Amino acid sequence: MGSGFLRRVFALIKKEFITTWKDPKSRSIIVFLPLMQLIIFANAATMEVKNIDMAVLDRDKSVESRELISRYESSPRFRHIYYMDTEVELQEKMDNQEVQIGMYINNDFSNSIKKQNPIEPATLLIIGDGRQTNSSAIATGYASQIIAEYSQEVTQRRGTAIDAIVRNWFNPNAEYQWYVLTIIVAMLSVVVTLILTALSVAREREMGTFDQLIVSPLSSFEILLGKTITPLVIAMGMACLMAAAVTGIFEVPFNGSFPMFMLSMFISLLSIVGVGLFISSIANTQQQAILYVMTFMMPSMLLSGFISPIEDMPEALQYFTYLNPIRFFMKLTRGIFLKGIGIEEVIVNLIPLILIAVLTLTLAAKTFKSKLE
């Protein structure tokens, strides 16, 4: 192992550095994308739950109930307290995920306190959204803590404690596996779709068959259509297989409509196909395509509400999440599985997905056509 060996190795290392740095795509992947992900991670990835919205149905309307509610209004963890007049309004707020938790105060709340009976505590109901298992557990924990502090004061004055009863809607036993598995169905479907579409054109370039596509009688639209349908069909088949495994093996209830599930799956994956084809059209190699897929997936997962609630992100990032198809895809999958959401709520989430699909497919088509020309 002489000086010649070291010179050759050093020359090769130098060449690799120069080649990597001269390539604009590699340079942007190395420098810009990690910095972008760092900023998103720092703001979006938080295990803290704040800015909690709560719906309150106060049947008692007493001094004691108002004093308790004022504790939530002055708490920095709670953002908005919505006062409901009926159980139906409270249920709608929870159903539409406009609030994270609800609180029901019965009409005998103050009377129970005034009885000064240490054996029979005054009770109230805290309702958590079982579709968001982790954030719901933290939010109900904060709510219960405020009740516990108020209960200590009331006990000292009246001798009667206050007991908070916690119930989780849509997931009564707060099974975290239900939440995770329904999300995994969406996430793995996205990954399969992205990889298949992102590698399609890049693979053609590496194998040298891309030039054959250009000189073939196929138009750019026909080539793009062929590249779209195949991964879409495979991903939807895999999604159905995973959904069957989730319900059959893990016994997660499927409370929704299967046709609505398939429609949601089709439109959601169609928007992802556009992203994958755009990546494939700008990537020169399969390695570059995989790097772009990873670059897209990490911020998209963080901005989907899977790890941290969207409500706890900075306001600018909250608006940015409306461009993220995974956000709506996960909400639809979770809602159809665990809640059985109706056609109105499905349409509300499908509209942005349709717009994203049109945008991504149009962008992919234009990029793909310019590459062919």
Side-chain angles (χ1 to χ4, degrees):
M1 190 180 294
S3 60
F5 171 80
L6 294 176
R7 271 199 313 273
R8 290 193 299 272
V9 172
F10 179 76
L12 180 60
I13 293 173
K14 182 179 178 181
K15 175 255 183 189
E16 288 297 321
F17 271 113
I18 294 173
T19 303
T20 302
W21 191 250
K22 280 188 174 181
D23 182 12
K25 292 181 180 179
S26 298
R27 195 163 60 240
S28 63
I29 291 173
I30 294 169
V31 178
F32 173 72
L33 295 178
L35 291 176
M36 181 189 71
Q37 290 189 359
L38 176 64
I39 294 171
I40 294 175
F41 265 87
N43 290 281
T46 172
M47 294 297 106
E48 184 182 16
V49 177
K50 52 187 178 180
N51 298 326
I52 302 169
D53 295 330
M54 182 171 73
V56 175
L57 178 55
D58 183 7
R59 290 293 193 190
D60 197 45
K61 298 188 187 304
S62 61
V63 174
E64 289 79 7
S65 64
R66 287 194 293 270
E67 184 180 356
L68 174 60
I69 296 170
S70 68
R71 304 292 178 97
Y72 293 98
E73 292 175 331
S74 60
S75 172
R77 298 189 183 279
F78 288 81
R79 181 173 54 183
H80 296 302
I81 308 297
Y82 298 97
Y83 290 89
M84 305 289 103
D85 295 321
T86 64
E87 287 88 347
V88 174
E89 291 181 0
L90 176 62
Q91 183 174 351
E92 286 179 352
K93 278 284 185 183
M94 294 290 294
D95 284 351
N96 298 330
Q97 293 184 306
E98 296 177 28
V99 294
Q100 284 77 50
I101 59 174
M103 183 165 67
Y104 180 84
I105 303 175
N106 210 347
N107 52 14
D108 64 346
F109 180 70
S110 59
N111 290 333
S112 298
I113 294 175
K114 292 172 183 176
K115 286 180 182 178
Q116 300 183 0
N117 187 345
I119 301 176
E120 296 182 7
T123 59
L124 53 82
L125 179 65
I126 299 293
I127 305 166
D129 187 347
R131 293 167 294 186
Q132 298 277 2
T133 310
N134 186 53
S135 58
S136 175
I138 297 173
T140 53
Y142 291 151
S144 300
Q145 183 179 358
I146 291 176
I147 294 171
E149 293 171 356
Y150 181 63
S151 176
Q152 288 181 352
E153 297 179 13
V154 171
T155 303
Q156 292 174 358
R157 297 197 311 258
R158 302 288 184 88
T160 303
I162 299 174
D163 187 16
I165 301 171
V166 179
R167 295 286 184 268
N168 290 290
W169 284 0
F170 317 116
N171 187 357
N173 297 321
E175 294 279 355
Y176 188 70
Q177 194 179 50
W178 288 14
Y179 170 73
V180 170
L181 287 174
T182 52
I183 296 303
I184 286 177
V185 171
M187 295 303 299
L188 291 181
S189 302
V190 169
V191 170
V192 170
T193 306
L194 266 179
I195 290 177
L196 288 175
T197 51
L199 294 181
S200 59
V201 179
R203 183 172 56 248
E204 298 273 7
R205 288 197 180 100
E206 284 193 359
M207 294 176 64
T209 56
F210 187 68
D211 292 336
Q212 297 177 12
L213 281 178
I214 296 176
V215 299
S216 69
L218 294 169
S219 65
S220 59
F221 174 76
E222 291 169 340
I223 296 173
L224 193 65
L225 191 62
K227 298 288 185 183
T228 299
I229 293 175
T230 304
L232 191 59
V233 171
I234 293 173
M236 287 193 67
M238 288 297 300
C240 291
L241 185 62
M242 287 185 291
V246 166
T247 55
I249 299 174
F250 298 99
E251 299 180 349
V252 177
F254 186 86
N255 297 314
S257 165
F258 185 72
M260 279 197 292
F261 175 73
M262 293 301 295
L263 176 64
S264 303
M265 188 74 61
F266 174 77
I267 296 177
S268 301
L269 293 180
L270 194 62
S271 65
I272 300 298
V273 165
V275 176
L277 287 175
F278 174 73
I279 290 174
S280 189
S281 62
I282 63 174
N284 294 322
T285 64
Q286 294 184 71
Q287 184 180 11
Q288 274 188 354
I290 292 294
L291 287 173
Y292 283 132
V293 168
M294 293 174 60
T295 303
F296 171 79
M297 281 299 300
M298 291 302 294
S300 297
M301 286 178 61
L302 288 172
L303 296 175
S304 66
F306 173 46
I307 298 175
S308 304
I310 293 174
E311 296 80 11
D312 295 338
M313 299 177 188
E315 191 172 355
L317 284 181
Q318 291 185 35
Y319 288 114
F320 193 70
T321 60
Y322 287 102
L323 298 175
N324 183 12
I326 300 179
R327 168 188 174 167
F328 303 101
F329 189 15
M330 290 200 314
K331 191 173 182 180
L332 283 167
T333 306
R334 188 172 60 239
I336 292 173
F337 258 92
L338 300 181
K339 178 191 166 188
I341 56 177
I343 185 65
E344 296 85 2
E345 192 170 346
V346 170
I347 291 174
V348 167
N349 287 281
L350 283 182
I351 289 174
L353 279 172
I354 293 172
L355 296 176
I356 293 171
V358 171
L359 176 65
T360 56
L361 287 171
T362 302
L363 184 62
K366 288 185 176 180
T367 310
F368 190 74
K369 188 175 181 180
S370 65
K371 290 286 184 179
L372 287 178
E373 294 173 352

